[in-house]
Amino acid sequence: MVKHRDSTHLVHQYLRHNKKFPHVWCPGCGNGIVLGALIRAIHQHQYERDDIVLVSGIGCSSRMPVYVDFNTIHTLHGRALTFATGIKLANPKLKVIVVTGDGDSMAIGGNHFIHAARRNIDITTIILNNNIYGMTGGQSSPTTNYGDKSTTAPYTHIEHAFKISELAVTAGASFVARGTVYHADKLQKLIEAALTKDGFSVVEAVTHCHVQYGKLNKLGSNVDMMKWQKDNSITVQKAAKMKEEDVEDKITMGVLMDKPLPNFTKEMAKLKDRAKE
Amino acid sequence: MPAKSASKKVTTKKEIKKKETKIKTKYDIYVYNDWCKKCGICEAFCPVKCLGHDEIGQVIVLDADACIGCAQCEIRCPDFAIEIKVRE
Ligand SMILES: Cc1ncc(C[n+]2csc(CCOP(=O)(O)OP(=O)(O)O)c2C)c(N)n1
Ligand code: SF4
Ligand code: SF4
Ligand code: SF4
């Protein structure tokens, strides 16, 4: 068991200190908190660093693999899952983890996401949901809330947001969980659980982009936005007992789906054997 | 009540344990200023409010003796810039 107290020391052991630090993310951005949780989760399982492949697309969140000493690949906007699928099929022994933003995975990469879930390929996908395109200047993303502002919706957004975790469940992922960066320790536990799953496992990490989303919507500082996460999160168990309209504006935290399903990588191996017979 | 006062003198195992845990572990708090971005997260969510900041936002330790070593600051620092160590 890693004590939280050793967290900073431990994280530093996994960082590529030859890269430019402090990292590129704005002061107080939640991306670093997710990176810490991911490193601790990987460490907890004692995986060999060379067995981990961290794959990302493009975005603030997608810069994550650059900073850590695993096999890493920073690919194209929206295409992280396609690269990850290739890597996993070429070498099923590798532990393939995708790090992606809400824009990267739900807009340009939305189709790849639902089909990876449907296939149930053995990849863990961590989606950093900050409700906006952070990197390119605060444009609406598929998770921008109805009625909120973005630089492409100055008179408020008239579309409705995807609920990432619920979408993942419907699309067929075998493990789906949601956490927040405020609850960094619980987030770590959810990632730990996802990593052990045999199939497509998704962790939606609710985070904040105070610099774009927060500023445009007058949500306050990074600390204010984290307090909001704290005050508006409820457990899956509690949500199940509440009225639907009362759950609507809350962050439902915890495991939404955990069901072993035939996994694509293993099915592919069996298929190869069948074809050889 | 003589019986009761007599039994009071015996220190039970439970009481010894209680006494031992009363001696609080002390911690030292280190902030790596070349990595810290002065975001205020560590200060805001410290349960015992032992962190503060100066006029330029640099983290200052207000009361290291009050620190309970929970490391909530470590796990929430987005820049891996704060470290808690048990005081030797
Ligand atoms: C093919 C292509 N289209 C558009 C872009 C521009 N672009 C870069 S990042 C990004 C959105 C990032 O949003 P998100 O995935 O939510 O990540 P965040 O920056 O919020 O972490 C876009 C549209 C690009 N790099 N490539
Ligand atoms: S723009 Fe937003 S998402 Fe990007 S680093 Fe800054 S706070 Fe984070
Ligand atoms: S370890 Fe806990 S008590 Fe000590 S400074 Fe950090 S948050 Fe505060
Ligand atoms: S949380 Fe980290 S980066 Fe933010 S003020 Fe504290 S030490 Fe500095």
Side-chain angles (χ1 to χ4, degrees), chain B residues 66-81:
Chain B
C67 170
I68 54 170
C70 65
Q72 290 300 308
C73 51
E74 285 201 17
I75 66 163
R76 289 206 187 94
C77 172
D79 282 90
F80 321 116

Side-chain angles (χ1 to χ4, degrees), chain A residues 34 37 179-181 183-191 203-205:
Chain A
V34 180
T180 83
V181 292
H183 304 91
D185 43 0
K186 292 204 188 88
L187 182 64
Q188 175 196 333
K189 292 278 170 316
L190 295 173
I191 298 173
V203 178
E204 177 187 353

Side-chain angles (χ1 to χ4, degrees), chain A residues 25-26 29 31 60 130 134 209-212:
Chain A
W25 297 313
C26 303
C29 175
N31 291 351
C60 294
N130 60 7
C209 172
H210 53 302
V211 172
Q212 308 285 359

Side-chain angles (χ1 to χ4, degrees), chain A residues 4-9 11-12 15 17 21-33 35-37 39-40 181-185 188 208 222-224 226-227 230, chain B residues 25-28 30 32-45 49 67-87:
Chain A
H4 285 331
R5 210 165 51 236
D6 305 323
S7 169
T8 299
H9 178 70
V11 167
H12 276 262
L15 295 181
H17 282 267
F21 279 103
H23 51 55
V24 72
W25 297 313
C26 303
C29 175
N31 291 351
I33 306 177
L35 175 57
I39 290 175
R40 291 196 301 277
V181 292
Y182 171 80
H183 304 91
D185 43 0
Q188 175 196 333
H208 51 275
N222 55 317
V223 167
D224 293 326
M226 284 176 78
K227 281 187 184 150
K230 177 188 175 194
Chain B
T25 315
K26 296 243 169 87
Y27 299 94
D28 283 319
Y30 299 86
Y32 306 118
N33 282 328
D34 45 347
W35 284 46
C36 167
K37 291 184 189 148
K38 310 181 178 84
C39 70
I41 289 177
C42 53
E43 178 187 339
F45 300 115
K49 304 274 166 241
C67 170
I68 54 170
C70 65
Q72 290 300 308
C73 51
E74 285 201 17
I75 66 163
R76 289 206 187 94
C77 172
D79 282 90
F80 321 116
I82 189 164
E83 202 166 352
I84 307 300
K85 287 180 187 160
V86 178
R87 196 178 297 169

Side-chain angles (χ1 to χ4, degrees), chain A residues 31 58-62 77 100-105 108 128 130 132-136 141:
Chain A
N31 291 351
I58 299 291
C60 294
S61 38
S62 292
H77 191 36
T100 171
D102 46 285
D104 198 61
S105 64
I108 190 168
L128 289 86
N130 60 7
I132 203 149
Y133 289 0
M135 177 173 258
T136 44
S141 93

Side-chain angles (χ1 to χ4, degrees), chain A residues 53-267:
Chain A
V53 189
L54 210 55
V55 188
S56 73
I58 299 291
C60 294
S61 38
S62 292
R63 267 198 79 76
M64 196 178 282
V66 173
Y67 295 113
V68 267
D69 188 20
F70 301 118
N71 297 295
T72 61
I73 169 164
H74 190 188
T75 71
L76 305 171
H77 191 36
R79 314 293 175 221
L81 273 166
T82 65
F83 284 80
T85 300
I87 293 164
K88 187 70 194 176
L89 286 179
N91 190 351
K93 277 192 231 106
L94 294 172
K95 191 91 209 153
V96 183
I97 304 167
V98 166
V99 184
T100 171
D102 46 285
D104 198 61
S105 64
M106 293 287 117
I108 190 168
N111 225 20
H112 300 308
F113 180 79
I114 54 174
H115 291 289
R118 181 182 58 80
R119 275 186 200 124
N120 200 34
I121 184 159
D122 187 14
I123 292 171
T124 298
T125 298
I126 297 164
I127 305 178
L128 289 86
N129 184 4
N130 60 7
N131 312 93
I132 203 149
Y133 289 0
M135 177 173 258
T136 44
Q139 296 85 352
S140 293
S141 93
T143 62
T144 300
N145 291 314
Y146 172 85
D148 278 358
K149 285 184 182 171
S150 73
T151 50
T152 46
Y155 304 107
T156 74
H157 197 53
I158 57 169
E159 300 172 16
H160 298 273
F162 268 150
K163 291 181 177 160
I164 297 179
S165 294
E166 284 76 2
L167 179 73
V169 171
T170 311
S174 63
F175 180 88
V176 181
R178 188 191 278 119
T180 83
V181 292
Y182 171 80
H183 304 91
D185 43 0
K186 292 204 188 88
L187 182 64
Q188 175 196 333
K189 292 278 170 316
L190 295 173
I191 298 173
E192 263 173 50
L195 289 172
T196 63
K197 300 300 168 183
D198 187 29
F200 195 64
S201 53
V202 178
V203 178
E204 177 187 353
V206 174
T207 179
H208 51 275
C209 172
H210 53 302
V211 172
Q212 308 285 359
Y213 204 66
K215 194 171 159 199
L216 288 162
N217 292 291
K218 301 193 170 54
L219 302 173
S221 67
N222 55 317
V223 167
D224 293 326
M225 290 183 82
M226 284 176 78
K227 281 187 184 150
W228 188 89
Q229 293 164 17
K230 177 188 175 194
D231 296 339
N232 290 281
S233 297
I234 50 170
T235 60
V236 173
Q237 291 77 9
K238 193 173 172 197
K241 291 186 200 136
M242 287 165 64
K243 279 193 230 126
E244 213 179 312
E245 60 263 34
D246 295 336
V247 177
E248 197 57 36
D249 295 328
K250 300 272 184 243
I251 304 167
T252 315
M253 237 173 46
V255 178
L256 283 84
M257 168 58 78
D258 187 4
K259 187 170 71 179
L261 293 167
N263 113 36
F264 187 74
T265 326
K266 286 186 182 156
E267 291 295 315

